[in-house]
Amino acid sequence: MSSIAVRATAPGRPAPSRRGEWRIHVILVVAAALMVVPFVWEILASFKTNAEVSSLPPTILPEQPSVRGYATFFDSVPFWAQFGVSAASLVMRVVGQVLVAALAGYAFARLRFPGRNLLFVIFLLMLMVPSQLFLLGQFEIIRDVGLLNTIPALAIPGIFSAFGTFLMRQAFITMPREYEEAARLDGAGPVRTFWSVMLPMARPTVAALAVLTSLYSWNDLLWPLIVTPTGDARPLPVGLASMQGQFGTDYPALMAGALICTVPLVLVFLFLQRQFFAGIASSGLKG
Amino acid sequence: MSTQTREPVRSAKRRRTGVSNRTDWWALVMIAPATIGLAVLYLWPFASTFLTSFMNVPAFGPGQFTGLDNYARLLTDGDFWRALRNSGLYTGLVLLGIPIAIVLAALIQQVSRGRAIYRVLFFLPVVTLPVAVGMVWRFILNGDFGLFNWALSLFGIPGQYWVADDRFTIYAFAAVGIWMTLGINLIILGAGLQSIPMDLYEASSLDGAGRIRQFFSITLPLLSPTIFFVMILSVISALQMFDLVFVMLGSINNTAIDGSKTIVYLFYEAGFVQFRQGDAAAIAMVLLIIIMAATAVQFRLQKKWVVYE
């Protein structure tokens, strides 16, 4: 604690171990460059011609910069429709999951009801089961209610999340009870207390959960592949993968497509870095 | 008697926590959506997968219980063993990314400027569409004109058909897998590093310990619970790898796919391409058992190396 205070009050004074810092920067810059090379290569290739990307030795900058790759991508993939599907299913899933998980998390954290602990244990157990164990049954349900090839099919299973419930419960359980008591003394009922007092206080957790869920929703491939075998409700990952099946060797077009489909979430990430890091730190769970 | 003694305690507790009887009913309303959703979309499918794994389900019509037939068929299926080997190899190789992440996290922690930029750069692959990641790396690892083979040739190393020869595909997936998950591991390990008290470093440097010494005798032991957590998560997610196989080989009719399938790819193919639901369910159950076993083994082994204060 004291060392943090020292660092905060004397930011200009370098710690003794900071002298050789440039050496660390050399390592980190090299490592970061290796991380970024694929992106740079993707961008450069997207502006090259098909002949140029397959030439040896490879050229670095495009010799005759061309946007044909982008034109091919937009001609062959209904990008805006698929973007719309991805965005709509993301919003549906995120809003739904945050609401459902916050309500249940609050009840688990604060309210008493018979079977609470048993139910919570069941939620925790579900947390440990890999998602593939649910896919066959979820597919049958979605098919039987006639939702195949629709946007709700993409979003619905993800709305219900044992992980989200668990995360929200942890957020509520650490909050001081005084706020709720004050709210009740002011005449607020449980719903009002939850909605106007507790949920706003849980905003950092809500943000982390929303961002994490967005990441899964935007990136997911397997479930969309299963529930949108044909039709117009294909999200970007499925559209991009099927474009690759069609234009397997047109690398400039493939790179252009990969780039365009990547940009939206990267932009969101650049604006909400803290929430992304908090979300990942709170779970690290993939899928 | 016992209820008589318990009741007053319970109501006293209730008064103290200020939760009235009326709130209990609200709790049921609040918890209903999550519980119904979990029951219908998770518990039931889980039970159904479990039962289906013992059944022969034709494309149309009801299934028939066939006992352990599906499992027996799996165990004599070369493709299944190949997939187990592929997933196991991939998981083992991806774990090699953890030491890299530990070193990088510790280095980022050491610098006074540029931390935020490094974090963002290392995190970019995490927010990149995995399908796009697979496509870009398929291009870079191309055997004829890929950037990677060209870079190897500068050092006189002969190139390979990394994504067209099934002797190499798993290694290619693993390299991409490490690249994709490095950012996640860095963030989790970074959070772990933050919780190590600075005084320990100050005290040890007064005692004359250098940075390398500090890394091994302070950072690693105190970070070991976080490293353990990262390992558990990495193994679980690596055993479920599907996207890279599908994107780098599966969607483009690459002949190397036959020797490169992972467990979840096999599951997808059986369940949703060939509609052999019984086999798919059995594969999923085996995956569950493998993941539980791998996690249990790691929990066993942690006593040997994880340091708890």
Side-chain angles (χ1 to χ4, degrees):
Chain A
M1 204 55 205
S2 62
S3 63
I4 293 168
V6 168
R7 270 167 62 203
T9 50
R13 192 198 62 165
S17 61
R18 293 274 154 80
R19 221 167 288 141
E21 200 176 300
W22 66 271
R23 268 174 285 181
I24 300 177
H25 279 295
V26 169
I27 302 173
L28 286 175
V29 167
V30 170
L34 285 174
M35 292 301 281
V36 175
V37 159
F39 292 106
V40 175
W41 199 243
E42 174 186 11
I43 295 170
L44 291 174
S46 72
F47 291 108
K48 290 178 184 172
T49 61
N50 221 344
E52 193 180 350
V53 291
S54 48
S55 65
L56 273 177
T59 57
I60 296 186
L61 294 176
E63 276 168 349
Q64 295 154 332
S66 139
V67 291
R68 188 212 45 94
Y70 291 85
T72 306
F73 168 71
F74 282 107
D75 285 345
S76 59
V77 172
F79 171 76
W80 290 108
Q82 291 177 353
F83 177 84
V85 170
S86 272
S89 61
L90 180 148
V91 170
M92 200 182 279
R93 177 169 171 180
V94 169
V95 172
Q97 187 187 122
V98 166
L99 269 180
V100 169
L103 283 167
Y106 182 68
F108 274 129
R110 281 295 203 264
L111 307 177
R112 285 175 149 271
F113 55 92
R116 185 179 74 171
N117 291 341
L118 176 68
L119 195 59
F120 190 61
V121 168
I122 295 175
F123 271 70
L124 284 184
L125 285 177
M126 286 295 104
L127 205 58
M128 296 173 197
V129 179
S131 60
Q132 291 79 16
L133 274 295
F134 310 121
L135 292 182
L136 290 164
Q138 288 174 344
F139 170 76
E140 276 176 28
I141 293 173
I142 294 293
R143 186 194 57 199
D144 292 348
V145 296
L147 282 177
L148 279 188
N149 296 311
T150 65
I151 292 173
L154 297 168
I156 285 174
I159 287 176
F160 305 97
S161 159
F163 169 72
T165 306
F166 177 71
L167 203 66
M168 291 312 304
R169 173 189 181 266
Q170 298 310 97
F172 288 125
I173 218 162
T174 54
M175 286 180 191
R177 285 185 182 274
E178 284 74 19
Y179 291 96
E180 284 155 296
E181 276 158 25
R184 205 180 31 259
L185 287 178
D186 287 347
V191 175
R192 186 80 201 273
T193 308
F194 166 77
W195 188 254
S196 323
V197 179
M198 299 304 278
L199 195 56
M201 287 207 317
R203 206 177 293 152
T205 309
V206 168
L209 180 61
V211 160
L212 206 59
T213 308
S214 303
L215 185 63
Y216 297 155
S217 173
W218 188 263
N219 284 349
D220 195 14
L221 173 67
L222 184 50
W223 176 247
L225 212 52
I226 291 170
V227 288
T228 56
T230 57
D232 303 326
R234 286 189 156 179
L236 286 174
V238 179
L240 204 54
S242 70
M243 179 207 177
Q244 192 184 225
Q246 238 180 312
F247 295 85
T249 54
D250 187 348
Y251 286 103
L254 294 177
M255 294 304 106
L259 192 66
I260 289 172
C261 296
T262 298
V263 165
L265 195 68
V266 169
L267 285 181
V268 173
F269 161 63
L270 292 179
F271 282 107
L272 298 175
Q273 288 168 35
R274 202 158 11 112
Q275 285 74 15
F276 271 85
F277 294 151
I280 292 291
S282 70
S283 79
L285 283 164
K286 278 276 288 167
Chain B
M1 188 61 196
S2 63
T3 47
Q4 268 179 345
T5 50
R6 265 178 62 201
E7 258 330 289
V9 176
R10 214 168 153 199
S11 57
K13 199 169 162 193
R14 220 172 251 195
R15 239 192 326 277
R16 200 172 59 243
T17 55
V19 179
S20 70
N21 281 327
R22 215 181 109 228
T23 337
D24 288 348
W25 292 107
W26 277 112
L28 297 182
V29 175
M30 291 171 103
I31 213 138
T35 308
I36 294 169
L38 205 77
V40 174
L41 285 162
Y42 291 85
L43 277 179
W44 184 81
F46 180 56
S48 142
T49 295
F50 176 74
L51 292 176
T52 307
S53 75
F54 301 106
M55 289 163 78
N56 177 21
V57 187
F60 298 98
Q64 238 179 354
F65 274 95
T66 50
L68 290 168
D69 277 9
N70 295 336
Y71 293 94
R73 204 164 41 247
L74 274 188
L75 292 181
T76 54
D77 179 4
D79 280 355
F80 174 71
W81 287 105
R82 191 73 192 251
L84 280 188
R85 175 216 164 249
N86 287 343
S87 282
L89 178 61
Y90 174 80
T91 304
L93 290 169
V94 162
L95 285 179
L96 298 178
I98 294 180
I100 301 174
I102 295 170
V103 171
L104 288 173
L107 289 177
I108 290 177
Q109 180 85 349
Q110 298 254 318
V111 298
S112 50
R113 281 158 169 264
R115 279 189 204 183
I117 296 170
Y118 289 127
R119 268 194 214 132
V120 166
L121 291 179
F122 286 111
F123 203 74
L124 279 182
V126 180
V127 290
T128 301
L129 218 57
V131 175
V133 167
M135 286 165 66
V136 172
W137 279 94
R138 183 171 79 92
F139 173 50
I140 290 175
L141 294 172
N142 181 289
D144 291 318
F145 48 79
L147 179 67
F148 184 65
N149 273 356
W150 176 75
L152 287 182
S153 73
L154 296 181
F155 298 96
I157 303 170
Q160 300 292 349
Y161 285 89
W162 303 106
V163 287
D165 180 340
D166 62 18
R167 283 176 300 163
F168 302 113
T169 44
I170 302 300
Y171 296 92
F173 298 153
V176 183
I178 290 174
W179 180 80
M180 268 175 90
T181 52
L182 190 66
I184 296 176
N185 295 346
L186 268 183
I187 296 301
I188 302 175
L189 291 165
L193 284 171
Q194 298 258 312
S195 64
I196 300 177
M198 283 293 277
D199 339 12
L200 286 177
Y201 292 100
E202 281 158 21
S204 76
S205 70
L206 287 180
D207 290 343
R211 252 194 221 144
I212 307 277
R213 181 74 202 276
Q214 286 181 337
F215 177 76
F216 284 102
S217 52
I218 300 174
T219 309
L220 273 190
L222 290 182
L223 194 61
S224 59
T226 315
I227 298 172
F228 175 63
F229 178 64
V230 168
M231 274 181 70
I232 295 272
L233 292 180
S234 300
V235 169
I236 291 176
S237 85
L239 286 171
Q240 299 180 56
M241 199 274 276
F242 164 80
D243 298 22
L244 293 179
V245 191
F246 184 82
V247 178
M248 292 172 77
L249 309 175
S251 66
I252 47 169
N253 292 322
N254 186 327
T255 49
I257 184 69
D258 290 332
S260 311
K261 293 171 189 169
T262 57
I263 302 174
V264 174
Y265 191 91
L266 213 60
F267 162 79
Y268 162 75
E269 215 176 40
F272 300 101
V273 179
Q274 300 160 346
F275 298 102
R276 294 182 286 120
Q277 302 214 23
D279 291 336
I283 296 171
M285 289 305 297
V286 173
L287 175 70
L288 174 67
I289 293 165
I290 291 174
I291 286 181
M292 290 197 322
T295 308
V297 166
Q298 291 181 81
F299 267 95
R300 266 286 167 87
L301 291 176
Q302 68 157 336
K303 287 175 199 140
K304 298 210 162 100
W305 66 276
V306 178
V307 181
Y308 292 105
E309 289 163 64

